[in-house]
Amino acid sequence: MGKVAAAVCTVAVCAAALVVVRRQMKSSGRWAKAEAILREMEDKCGAPTENLRQVADAMTAEMHAGLASDGGSKLKMLISFIDNLPTGDEKGLFYALDLGGTNFRVIRVQLGGKESTIRRESEEFSIPPHLMVGSSHELFDFIAGALAKFVATENEDFHVLPGKLRELGFTFSFPVRQLSIASGTLIKWTKGFHIEDAVGEDVVGELTKAMQRVGLDMRVAALINDTVGTLAGGKYNNPDVVAAVILGTGTNAAYIERTHAIPKWQGPLPKSGEMVINMEWGNFRSSHLPLTEYDQSLDAESLNPGEQIFEKLMSGMYLGEIVRRVLMRMAEEASFFGDNIPPKLHIPFIIRTPDMAAMHHDNSSDLKVVGCKLKDVLEVHNSSLKMRKMIVEICDIVASRGARLAAAGIFGILKKLGRNTVKDGEKQQRSVIAVDGGLFEHYTKFRNCLNRTLQELLGEDTAENIVTELSNDGSGTGAALLAASYSQYLQIEGSSS
Ligand code: ADP
Ligand code: MG
């Protein structure tokens, strides 16, 4: 090789080396920046125990305010008109219709009193997205149509007594101003529903009209919220149930309150001295909540800005979307995915909470599932292990914050009930929180974190007697049970005897 050629070669090698070094510098700078964004977010999402105690105290204070007067608090503390929960003596065939945020279920149960087990059948449908933002007429027609088809499949295991109408418990998981056990008006939509003409409407009236349109002769015996249904279903199975929490598309809680502790209740005092309260805790907010820029922008761009702040920190509809927003900032400011931002990452709600949970639960050494999700959801084909690890960490931070805040909310309810400590010299009553919802059921790391945090807040001695219990489809079965408790035929039989 001649001298010139050798020199050219050296220059080329040097230049190539320089490119590699530059790339490495760029890449390490990139990771450092991404790491900084992650740490900042971790810091802001932190929910240390002391902070959770403040959140719980704020929850208890808001509960008092909401019970004192309508409009007195961010917590509506809605009176459910349920003053008697099912006892187990109920008999007969009852239907339930459970309209949640993502799915709706139709259920029938044949109850035979304490001596016999419940016979139960159900079917689940997903709600077509266009019906969530269309007209109330269309939505109710769709629901009534599905119910009518389900009723048509009733076999001889189920029987309605001759001359009696089939009765239905309607679980409607949105804030309703209840007027009686079987009537109420919609206060507002949540969880991505937005049907203008339904707000202020008589929900049972709308459903009844739709049932008539499809030729279904059925009577709504009880209009309830999913939390109230879960409470009824939970207590039917376990008398120690004192409260119910939903962690699904949205979040909410209900509990059994003593009537004398509800100053705003003007009605007759029930014999039981108790009333189920639907807290609508999704709308809770407090200066103690660890809010970040991601939460602020999510809220501002949502269908209901300024509302449901507690819900937007922890429920299934939003957790994945928070993760997307963090990744978006990392992509923009730290070129986390390389020089280009993956186009799919721009699409709101593209990362669903089940995707997030799958990545978070990935136990493989090379985080295979994370790699697959990145490919399938964001069309990112060449993710490094380092990148995958950081994504799992983001999922962990977002899920842990939500789960810890949910635990703080439960702790607040227990405080309101005076069940958060062991009283001196007394044997502590057992308290069970019935929990329903796809998030709690399927997102194991979320559920474990919630349970751990609740124990942490209660302390070892008290924690022994306070547990959460998954109440799978408690809200649907509970609605059928409540239809039985509040059956018109019971009232007729009761008054004639
Ligand atoms: P709804 O809240 O509509 O009544 P569900 O209780 O079935 O319905 O909850 C559905 C929600 O639960 C989904 O929107 C999703 O956010 C969450 N979810 C379902 N499956 C999972 C999963 N595997 N991991 C995490 N979240 C899940
Ligand atoms: Mg539900």
Side-chain angles (χ1 to χ4, degrees), residues 92-354:
L93 168 64
F94 296 93
Y95 276 82
L97 203 160
D98 182 357
L99 179 66
T102 312
N103 302 310
F104 86 94
R105 270 171 285 255
V106 287
I107 297 143
R108 68 176 143 250
V109 298
Q110 184 77 42
L111 305 172
K114 286 209 176 75
E115 312 75 58
S116 121
T117 52
I118 300 184
R119 200 172 300 135
R120 181 181 177 288
E121 282 180 352
S122 70
E123 228 173 285
E124 185 166 305
F125 306 82
S126 58
I127 304 163
H130 73 273
L131 292 182
M132 297 179 180
V133 291
S135 73
S136 84
H137 197 97
E138 278 178 305
L139 177 69
F140 280 103
D141 270 3
F142 177 74
I143 293 168
L147 180 61
K149 275 191 210 128
F150 181 64
V151 172
T153 64
E154 191 182 289
N155 66 22
E156 59 280 3
D157 286 344
F158 296 86
H159 26 259
V160 63
L161 290 176
K164 290 190 176 177
L165 274 184
R166 288 180 181 76
E167 292 186 291
L168 175 80
F170 182 21
T171 305
F172 185 72
S173 311
F174 300 92
V176 163
R177 172 96 41 227
Q178 203 92 23
L179 302 170
S180 70
I181 178 72
S183 65
T185 54
L186 175 64
I187 298 173
K188 63 171 186 184
W189 289 108
T190 55
K191 300 180 285 195
F193 277 69
H194 203 76
I195 303 172
E196 232 18 275
D197 65 343
V199 176
E201 279 295 323
D202 164 18
V203 181
V204 172
E206 289 302 301
L207 177 64
T208 307
K209 276 187 261 168
M211 289 197 296
Q212 283 162 358
R213 285 196 291 270
V214 298
L216 185 61
D217 205 7
M218 204 182 234
R219 176 182 167 270
V220 178
L223 169 67
I224 60 161
N225 182 269
D226 52 354
T227 50
V228 177
T230 303
L231 190 60
K235 202 171 168 65
Y236 185 85
N237 290 322
N238 184 343
D240 292 329
V241 166
V242 295
V245 171
I246 300 290
L247 287 160
T249 309
T251 185
N252 190 9
Y255 74 107
I256 306 169
E257 184 57 279
R258 295 137 298 186
T259 346
H260 67 77
I262 315 173
K264 72 179 178 184
W265 171 247
Q266 302 290 319
L269 290 180
K271 260 198 230 132
S272 65
E274 292 178 337
M275 176 66 78
V276 175
I277 300 292
N278 163 18
M279 291 175 62
E280 287 297 333
W281 90 355
N283 199 42
F284 172 72
R285 74 183 303 169
S286 147
S287 57
H288 300 297
L289 293 176
L291 290 170
T292 65
E293 61 185 280
Y294 311 105
D295 307 301
Q296 268 141 13
S297 65
L298 181 152
D299 175 49
E301 291 162 34
S302 70
L303 284 174
N304 51 354
E307 291 175 9
Q308 303 291 105
I309 301 299
F310 201 51
E311 177 163 274
K312 286 170 183 164
L313 285 166
M314 68 181 72
S315 81
M317 175 157 175
Y318 302 103
L319 290 180
E321 171 62 5
I322 302 172
V323 171
R324 183 192 70 88
R325 284 170 184 270
V326 178
L327 287 177
M328 191 64 198
R329 175 156 176 227
M330 286 165 71
E332 281 172 343
E333 293 180 22
S335 304
F336 185 66
F337 294 101
D339 292 337
N340 301 316
I341 298 172
K344 292 264 176 184
L345 190 60
H346 288 282
I347 304 172
F349 296 96
I350 187 106
I351 302 178
R352 299 169 320 123
T353 302

